Amino acid sequence: MSSAGGAGLASAGLYAVVSKPAVVAAKPENADEKAHHLKDGKGFINPWDSFRDFVGWRMGVRLFWRKLSGQARKPDTTPPTVPVVTPTFRAGRQGGKLRATWLGHACYYVEFPSGLRVLFDPVFEDCCAPVNFKSFKRFTPPPCEIEDLPTVDLVVISHNHYDHLSYPTIKRIQEAFPQAHFFAPLGNRNWFIKSGVPEGQVTELDWWDTKDVKLQARFQDAKEVDAVSVSDSETKAKREDITAVVGALPCQHVSARGPFDKCKTLWASWSLESGGAKVYFAGDTGYRAVPESTPEGDDGYGTEYAHLPHCPAFAQIGQHRGPFDLGLIPIGAYEPRWIMSPMHANPQDSVNIFVDTKCKKALGMHWGTWVLTEEDVMEPPRKLKEALREKKIEEDGVFGVVNIGESKEFESK
């Protein structure tokens, strides 16, 4: 790991200044119709035929019956599963190639050529639930602690489920990196403010909205300015170059942190561009909903399913915001398909999302950390290779996985 700890670099005082975009980003003609908004501000929906809604209590009853009747599969988490390695990071504001480090589940730490450092969907806790259930505990540990990260400029959240948004993790980020700025979809801002994040350090966005970001030093007095000019001239000069464009984009999912707030806040995928590198973070998403009659183990891609609609948003993202140098795309938590397919991508869905969004390269996520569903814990990367072969896409180096804590570098334009 980098020898520079979080507290030391946080004191450099580079804060994100968020503003309206200098250039209005392209978007579909019907984007301003806000078809995903319910009337009177009552929440949000997935406005596509590719989504099948469900009643929470009914799904719970069916899942309980699966367990009671012995139909449910319990994945084996006996080690070895996913290798966990100690990560290394660039020190300070060192540039270089676009670099992504998987920190488990949907969490990636991305180092941009500009020096910008972004943390996506961080959850460092042992349990991804509001209470400490044994069945929701990690079977692979975090590869490092939050405090081991060199610095965190931006934190990007896809939605408010507990495996993507963690109150203890957010508090730890605040303590280690008090200058960090948080981006989240509509409706989530108040949660961050109630959690103690300063109002000026939270930005919520709707689908297809963008913001310009510039990192600037925040000085208390003239002495501090002089000190920076003498002891940290590199940071003073570099801060003028650290800019980014952050955009919220559609995906097919739902939100909730309790039994009575389903879809009250928005979910999103994200684009982030800085230093000539462009990243697409798919968050948590489905691609198409297979029928409830789909047999166990059927992935829903046979000829009998060819008529099923898929989510059109990803092709729109590719058309209007692509191409991307790197896509971070979910590949796990997909069985049984008759339940999970509207909300979670299986590897075949993932490859289609990769193609639709026009990502040049991609890394998988949303697997290998918690047992959320019934597929074998090591199945997603195997199925990903099969899906790439079916699409006649080169398997090596285009869309793959890394070990937890492992980094990979990518060329950018």
Side-chain angles (χ1 to χ4, degrees):
M1 284 176 281
S2 168
S3 59
L9 279 176
S11 64
L14 291 184
Y15 286 77
V17 177
V18 179
S19 60
K20 292 182 179 180
V23 178
V24 178
K27 59 185 177 181
E29 291 182 0
N30 63 353
D32 292 334
E33 295 176 7
K34 308 291 184 186
H36 58 293
H37 286 229
L38 289 174
K39 292 182 179 179
D40 303 319
K42 292 183 178 179
F44 306 90
I45 60 170
N46 293 285
W48 312 290
D49 293 338
S50 56
F51 181 75
R52 183 183 69 248
D53 205 356
F54 60 90
V55 178
W57 67 266
R58 188 176 298 166
M59 186 180 76
V61 169
R62 294 187 69 175
L63 288 173
F64 178 73
W65 173 248
R66 280 179 64 80
K67 291 185 178 181
L68 197 64
S69 62
Q71 299 176 55
R73 289 169 289 173
K74 187 177 181 181
D76 182 10
T77 59
T78 305
T81 55
V82 187
V84 180
V85 300
T86 301
T88 58
F89 307 106
R90 293 174 182 150
R93 296 292 173 182
Q94 180 183 347
K97 293 182 180 180
L98 176 66
R99 192 169 186 266
T101 306
W102 187 36
L103 301 181
H105 198 53
C107 181
Y108 268 93
Y109 183 75
V110 179
E111 299 166 277
F112 284 83
S114 63
L116 184 75
R117 306 293 185 251
V118 182
L119 193 58
F120 292 93
D121 276 7
V123 178
F124 281 71
E125 274 58 60
D126 187 41
C127 185
C128 63
V131 292
N132 200 4
F133 286 124
K134 182 179 179 181
S135 59
F136 286 110
K137 288 192 174 182
R138 288 177 179 265
F139 63 88
T140 51
C144 65
E145 298 300 334
I146 291 169
E147 295 76 14
D148 296 324
L149 301 175
T151 192
V152 175
D153 299 310
L154 307 181
V155 180
V156 177
I157 302 296
S158 64
H159 66 298
N160 69 358
H161 283 161
Y162 283 87
D163 57 324
H164 296 258
L165 177 62
S166 162
Y167 174 80
T169 288
I170 297 303
K171 295 302 292 183
R172 288 173 62 188
I173 292 171
Q174 278 186 273
E175 292 176 7
F177 309 104
Q179 86 289 355
H181 195 99
F182 296 82
F183 281 88
L186 281 184
N188 288 288
R189 188 170 186 270
N190 285 342
W191 184 91
F192 285 93
I193 292 171
K194 289 178 180 178
S195 299
V197 178
E199 292 188 22
Q201 290 174 223
V202 185
T203 298
E204 63 176 20
L205 295 180
D206 198 356
W207 291 351
W208 300 107
D209 287 348
T210 62
K211 291 289 185 181
D212 286 351
V213 176
K214 185 175 183 178
L215 296 192
Q216 293 183 343
R218 184 178 294 177
F219 300 114
Q220 299 298 322
D221 52 40
K223 290 182 180 180
E224 189 174 349
V225 176
D226 292 339
V228 169
S229 66
V230 173
S231 64
D232 202 4
S233 58
E234 181 183 355
T235 297
K236 182 182 178 184
K238 192 67 178 176
R239 73 174 184 268
E240 299 300 331
D241 300 328
I242 302 179
T243 60
V245 178
V246 180
L249 295 167
C251 65
Q252 184 170 291
H253 202 57
V254 293
S255 66
R257 286 183 77 80
F260 306 112
D261 64 343
K262 181 184 173 184
C263 297
K264 298 298 183 184
T265 64
L266 189 57
W267 49 95
S269 62
W270 293 84
S271 65
L272 209 152
E273 185 172 6
S274 183
K278 189 188 260 188
V279 172
Y280 175 65
F281 177 70
D284 197 351
T285 186
Y287 186 72
R288 61 207 290 270
V290 304
E292 293 192 27
S293 59
T294 303
E296 294 285 324
D298 192 331
D299 58 24
Y301 270 93
T303 55
E304 65 271 34
Y305 304 108
H307 66 285
L308 295 177
H310 61 265
C311 182
F314 299 105
Q316 292 176 331
I317 290 168
Q319 176 186 353
H320 295 287
R321 300 291 171 88
F324 297 92
D325 300 300
L326 172 64
L328 305 173
I329 300 175
I331 63 170
Y334 49 79
E335 289 287 355
R337 296 297 291 149
W338 58 268
I339 295 177
M340 296 297 168
S341 61
M343 302 164 292
H344 286 171
N346 72 357
Q348 284 171 298
D349 296 328
S350 307
V351 171
N352 284 324
I353 292 170
F354 168 75
V355 172
D356 286 356
T357 53
K358 298 183 180 178
C359 293
K360 298 174 185 176
K361 301 290 179 66
L363 292 174
M365 62 178 188
H366 206 259
W367 74 284
T369 307
W370 291 286
V371 173
L372 302 177
T373 47
E374 295 183 13
E375 74 272 8
D376 292 340
V377 297
M378 296 301 292
E379 181 181 282
R382 294 199 302 269
K383 291 284 189 180
L384 177 62
K385 287 187 175 183
E386 293 173 9
L388 289 167
R389 284 197 296 269
E390 289 178 12
K391 277 279 190 180
K392 295 181 171 53
I393 297 173
E394 181 184 348
E395 292 178 42
D396 296 329
V398 176
F399 187 173
V401 298
V402 291
N403 297 328
I404 296 176
E406 185 180 358
S407 303
K408 192 167 183 180
E409 293 187 344
F410 300 87
E411 297 288 347
S412 54
K413 59 186 178 182

